[in-house]
Amino acid sequence: MGRQMVVGLVGSRDPGGRRRRTIAATKLGRGAAWLSRTAGLGEGAIIGGRVAMALDREVLAGLARGRTVVLVTGTNGKTTTTSMVSRALSVAGPVATNATGANMPDGHVAALMADPQARYAVLEVDEMHLDIAAAQTRPAVIVLLNLSRDQIDRVGEVRTVAARLREVVLANPQAVVVANADDPMIVFAASPAQRAVWVSVGGGRWTGDAMSCPQCGERLDLAGDGWACSCGLRRPDPTWSVRDHAVRTDGGRELALDLKLPGSVNDGNAALAMAAAAQLGVVPEAALPRIREVTQVAGRYGDLTLSGRKVRLLLAKNPAGWHEMMELVRTSGRPAMFVVNAREADGFDLSWLWDVPFEHLAGMTIVVAGERAADMAVRLRYARVEVVMESDPVAAVRLAPPGELDVVANYTAFRMLRLKGEA
């Protein structure tokens, strides 16, 4: 009898009690967020989510109940693709999303608390927390972008992450999985889905972390646009594809993307976002104009002023990200500066710099800055790139050649520059 009373009090067998607990935790979480903002300690999103979770460990499930949820994960492009999916779905109704990139459970709770009436929720999810987010939200769609080395001291080896994502797919048969057909790690993770939608993202994709098969360990045959292994794992035929800055939809229509965000990588992100929105009834012709409205994402690709100069701020956190940003810098015609730190949020080991083909920048002059400017300078000099080094990023801006400047920074350096810059 006593045990039954306790169960009733915590609400685990009482839907009404469960709802009241979620409401109470949400109110107190919002109060904590308000206090944080009022005291000038930050936006309050994380602390609000943490307070709510401390009071109700199932608050995320309560906040997600009754909503159509899309989860977006992968190594690179999560924040951008989440923004694109949110814009696309806004055609159908209000959307709650963690637009600032707070991609762990406390950030998810904060995002849903901020928009309690939104019919849809689109959440960026850290790869190591997809299992928690999916178990609590029961997503209608899971978007799998790509997998490559990133913070190995925290996240682990790439095939380990792929196996973990595969377990989430197996545990969520209700979800449509929208997945990158060009990435062997993602295909391995997405293959058990009851329904998979394959997207070819186009462009010169990074293959440095997918040379061996995630299923059997044998070397992959990377021929042309395809790839295959003798064990049977191979690139699936995509129903959506990107080529020459246009997307071919599952209905065979070809639409020019004409994005405001630069780089072929964002063409692929847009195709994945359109495919995800299409699973929820938003036709590509309606989704694309909303996606074109995206000009910057949490500071990425945005312009700001540093030391009196206009700069475009770009984020690169790992070999695959630097590969994409390097190609953007090479073709933009702008002077460039690279800023590198190695703090906990970045990962302490920078040996991966030697895997990025900086040789493509040979003959250019690059300004390098940050706490690990010397590491970047040595790597670039071996690549026959001219280097100007100044550890202080704000002072380094003055040393770059004239013109609008592209600044590529890893995570903590990027965050610091956003705080110091003037929009």
Side-chain angles (χ1 to χ4, degrees):
M1 182 70 173
R3 184 175 182 275
Q4 290 176 343
M5 290 177 65
V6 171
V7 170
L9 286 171
V10 299
S12 60
R13 295 183 182 175
D14 175 7
R18 168 103 293 284
R19 178 170 172 75
R20 287 191 295 273
R21 193 175 180 87
T22 298
I23 291 170
T26 299
K27 285 181 178 178
L28 290 168
R30 285 183 187 149
W34 178 84
L35 286 172
S36 178
R37 290 192 298 271
T38 301
L41 299 176
E43 297 178 357
I46 299 301
I47 187 62
R50 287 180 180 172
V51 167
M53 289 174 65
L55 295 168
D56 178 7
R57 64 184 181 183
E58 296 182 24
V59 66
L60 180 55
L63 290 167
R65 191 170 293 114
R67 306 194 205 221
T68 300
V69 177
V70 179
L71 302 181
V72 181
T73 198
T75 306
N76 291 313
K78 292 188 292 291
T79 305
T80 300
T81 307
T82 298
S83 177
M84 289 176 168
V85 177
S86 300
R87 294 292 184 97
L89 271 182
S90 68
V91 171
V95 180
T97 187
N98 50 339
T100 63
N103 60 18
M104 297 184 190
D106 46 13
H108 303 151
V109 169
L112 299 188
M113 286 195 306
D115 288 293
Q117 304 304 318
R119 173 185 171 189
Y120 296 98
V122 180
L123 300 175
E124 171 188 341
V125 187
D126 177 86
E127 305 94 286
M128 301 307 287
H129 290 83
L130 183 64
D131 53 352
I132 298 170
Q136 295 257 334
T137 64
R138 302 297 293 167
V141 179
I142 298 174
V143 183
L144 301 181
L145 303 175
N146 51 70
L147 287 176
S148 64
R149 275 170 293 165
D150 185 51
Q151 297 180 309
I152 290 178
D153 46 357
R154 177 183 75 87
V155 175
E157 194 269 336
V158 180
R159 283 194 288 182
T160 301
V161 180
R164 188 162 177 161
L165 298 188
R166 184 181 174 96
E167 291 299 316
V168 177
V169 170
L170 283 165
N172 288 272
Q174 83 289 343
V176 178
V177 178
V178 177
N180 178 356
D182 300 326
D183 188 324
M185 298 294 167
I186 289 295
V187 172
F188 172 71
S191 292
Q194 295 288 322
R195 182 180 170 203
V197 176
W198 301 108
V199 181
S200 176
V201 298
R205 63 185 177 86
W206 172 260
T207 60
D209 299 305
M211 302 301 290
S212 63
C213 176
Q215 184 162 275
C216 72
E218 293 296 318
R219 186 175 180 84
L220 288 171
D221 178 10
L222 303 172
D225 291 335
W227 55 266
C229 180
S230 58
C231 74
L233 189 70
R234 61 179 57 248
R235 178 180 180 266
D237 292 330
T239 52
W240 295 69
S241 59
V242 171
R243 190 179 297 275
D244 297 328
H245 304 294
V247 60
R248 188 174 182 83
T249 73
D250 58 351
R253 302 183 299 282
E254 190 162 300
L255 304 174
L257 287 165
D258 295 328
L259 303 180
K260 293 185 175 66
L261 294 181
S264 61
V265 64
N266 284 314
D267 291 345
N269 291 338
L272 286 156
M274 291 168 67
Q279 308 317 305
L280 300 176
V282 179
V283 298
E285 289 82 358
L288 185 53
R290 298 292 178 96
I291 291 172
R292 287 177 181 146
E293 295 171 359
V294 180
T295 58
Q296 61 89 25
V297 183
R300 297 158 174 83
Y301 309 104
D303 292 331
L304 49 78
T305 301
L306 284 169
S307 295
R309 290 189 64 173
K310 184 178 179 181
V311 305
R312 178 171 63 172
L313 194 54
L314 306 169
L315 177 67
K317 304 178 292 181
N318 48 51
W322 277 98
H323 175 76
E324 296 291 350
M325 291 305 105
M326 184 185 64
E327 289 304 302
L328 181 58
V329 164
R330 187 178 65 83
T331 57
S332 73
R334 301 182 180 195
M337 182 171 91
F338 296 167
V339 189
V340 182
N341 292 342
R343 302 182 187 179
E344 183 177 2
D346 306 304
F348 299 117
D349 180 11
L350 288 182
S351 61
W352 53 262
L353 286 174
W354 294 87
D355 297 329
V356 181
F358 288 111
E359 286 75 12
H360 294 178
L361 304 180
M364 292 183 65
T365 297
I366 305 291
V367 178
V368 297
E371 297 164 355
R372 301 294 288 272
D375 294 78
M376 178 62 85
V378 170
R379 173 67 187 99
L380 290 177
R381 284 173 176 151
Y382 271 95
R384 301 185 183 279
V385 176
E386 295 296 320
V387 173
V388 177
M389 189 172 78
E390 163 58 60
S391 60
D392 179 359
V394 177
V397 168
R398 305 187 189 101
L399 303 178
E404 295 184 4
L405 180 66
D406 277 340
V407 177
V408 186
N410 67 348
Y411 184 72
T412 61
F414 179 93
R415 187 170 57 189
M416 180 273 293
L417 290 168
R418 281 196 72 195
L419 291 174
K420 288 184 176 293
E422 300 174 9

